[in-house]
């Protein structure tokens, strides 16, 4: 990456934007100076995470949300985080087909991003990608994830506001408790509310939220939508705007961003130390030592201590 690419991204060149994101995804060596130059231009964007179980209509909702954002004279970037194909290494779902109608719109940038089994590292990737898109001038950046696993919790750390999408008839009340969605959601959307059980799910969810909420906390609102018809999407976008204003008023938004900033510093230091520690020689030593183990008689702690001593001695 060079200064020419940086200027191109700042001028909203989507081709260069895609190239930069590919560099980030592929772990290409990007000097810190590159992100340092981006930093003054990344703070104006609002970052929204949209997650929930597979099949609840997240992509359809995002597709409906984009025109609402555009109608307010705002630009939008969408990062669709998908599971990675074990064969090609690319995102399994690819760019959402429905959203291709915005292909020629320079105020809309859509990108699929494979999870690549990053585990905790996905948070860093998502935030770096968010920074690059923000630097292109996009007002709102949406991260849409495919499920409610670890990757989704990682992406949540990269956003200002998290929307959890559910639908009736899938036992979501139980999933709420199991997946820890109560802790990460700022807004709940019950999609496909033309299906049986929608009102019951909404009532159950509101009762749960009320019982879990603390006196000084901002209780997540619940809204109903039908993405297939667009019903409720205008009200949902208005709710997002109002909730962000309330978060800002209470200092929640600033607090979240500051903690995210602190955590990124910690993560960068850990990554740098790990990359320095794991030289090719040490990786080779580790592989040889572990492959030579032919029984479970020795404690793994004992073997690890021996290896660490060997590392320290050269």
């Amino acid at each position: 990456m060079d200064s020419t690419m940086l200027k191109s991204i700042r001028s909203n060149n989507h081709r260069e934007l895609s190239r930069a994101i590919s560099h980030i995804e592929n772990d290409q060596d990007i000097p810190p100076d590159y992100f340092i130059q981006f930093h003054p231009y990344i703070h104006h964007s609002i970052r929204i995470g949209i997650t929930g179980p597979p099949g609840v209509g997240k992509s359809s909702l995002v597709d409906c949300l984009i025109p609402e954002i555009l109608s307010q004279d705002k630009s939008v970037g969408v990062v669709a985080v998908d599971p990675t194909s074990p064969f090609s290494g690319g995102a399994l779902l690819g760019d959402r087909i429905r959203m291709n109608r915005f292909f020629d719109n320079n105020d809309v940038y859509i990108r699929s991003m494979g999870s690549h089994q990053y585990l905790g590292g996905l948070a860093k990737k998502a935030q770096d990608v968010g920074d690059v898109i923000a630097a292109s001038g996009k007002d709102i950046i949406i991260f849409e994830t495919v499920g409610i696993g670890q990757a989704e919790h990682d992406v949540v750390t990269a956003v200002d506001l998290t929307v959890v999408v559910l639908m009736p008839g899938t036992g979501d009340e139980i999933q709420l408790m199991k997946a820890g969605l109560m802790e990460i959601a700022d807004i709940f959307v019950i999609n496909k509310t033309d299906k049986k059980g929608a009102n019951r799910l909404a009532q159950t969810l509101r009762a749960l939220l009320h019982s879990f909420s603390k006196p000084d906390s901002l209780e997540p609102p619940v809204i109903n939508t039908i993405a297939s018809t667009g019903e409720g999407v205008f009200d949902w976008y208005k709710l997002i705007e109002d909730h962000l204003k309330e978060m800002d008023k209470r200092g929640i938004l600033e607090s979240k961003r500051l903690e995210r900033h602190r955590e990124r510093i910690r993560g960068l230091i850990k990554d740098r130390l790990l990359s320095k520690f794991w030289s090719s020689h040490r990786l080779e030593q580790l592989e040889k030592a572990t492959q030579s183990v032919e029984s479970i008689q020795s404690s793994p702690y004992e073997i690890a201590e021996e290896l660490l001593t060997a590392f320290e001695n050269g």
Side-chain angles (χ1 to χ4, degrees), residues 41-90:
Y41 311 110
I42 67 172
H43 305 298
H44 72 282
S45 298
I46 293 293
R47 306 186 189 197
I48 300 171
I50 298 180
T51 188
V56 296
K58 297 185 294 293
S59 293
S60 297
L61 280 169
V62 172
D63 184 58
C64 292
L65 189 62
I66 292 172
E68 296 294 345
I69 295 170
L70 295 176
S71 71
Q72 301 298 313
D73 293 325
K74 293 181 179 179
S75 56
V76 57
V78 178
V79 181
V81 181
D82 295 328
T84 303
S85 167
F87 304 106
S88 67

Side-chain angles (χ1 to χ4, degrees), residues 206-251:
R206 290 190 178 100
L208 282 170
L209 291 169
H210 189 69
S211 63
F212 273 91
S213 64
K214 299 175 182 177
D216 57 343
S217 66
L218 185 57
E219 187 173 311
V222 180
I223 190 167
N224 294 351
T225 61
I226 304 176
S228 59
T229 64
E231 184 177 330
V233 175
F234 172 82
D235 292 335
W236 174 37
Y237 180 57
K238 183 68 167 57
L239 180 63
I240 289 173
E241 289 189 313
D242 291 344
H243 203 70
L244 282 166
K245 288 177 183 176
E246 187 63 26
M247 289 172 68
D248 190 29
K249 180 181 175 182
R250 296 189 182 207

Side-chain angles (χ1 to χ4, degrees), residues 80-151:
V81 181
D82 295 328
T84 303
S85 167
F87 304 106
S88 67
L92 275 176
L93 303 184
D95 284 348
R96 270 51 175 186
I97 295 173
R98 299 181 194 88
M99 299 180 203
N100 282 345
R101 63 190 172 116
F102 302 107
F103 180 76
D104 293 327
N105 192 323
N106 218 34
D107 286 328
V108 181
Y109 176 79
I110 298 169
R111 171 73 179 227
S112 282
M113 178 178 169
S115 62
H116 294 280
Q117 306 303 313
Y118 287 135
L119 298 178
L122 183 60
K124 178 183 181 299
K125 298 284 182 182
Q127 291 183 85
D128 287 346
V129 168
D131 286 352
V132 174
I133 296 175
S136 76
K138 297 297 181 289
D139 298 304
I140 295 176
I141 303 169
I142 298 171
F143 291 89
E144 182 212 329
T145 66
V146 77
I148 49 173
Q150 180 59 46

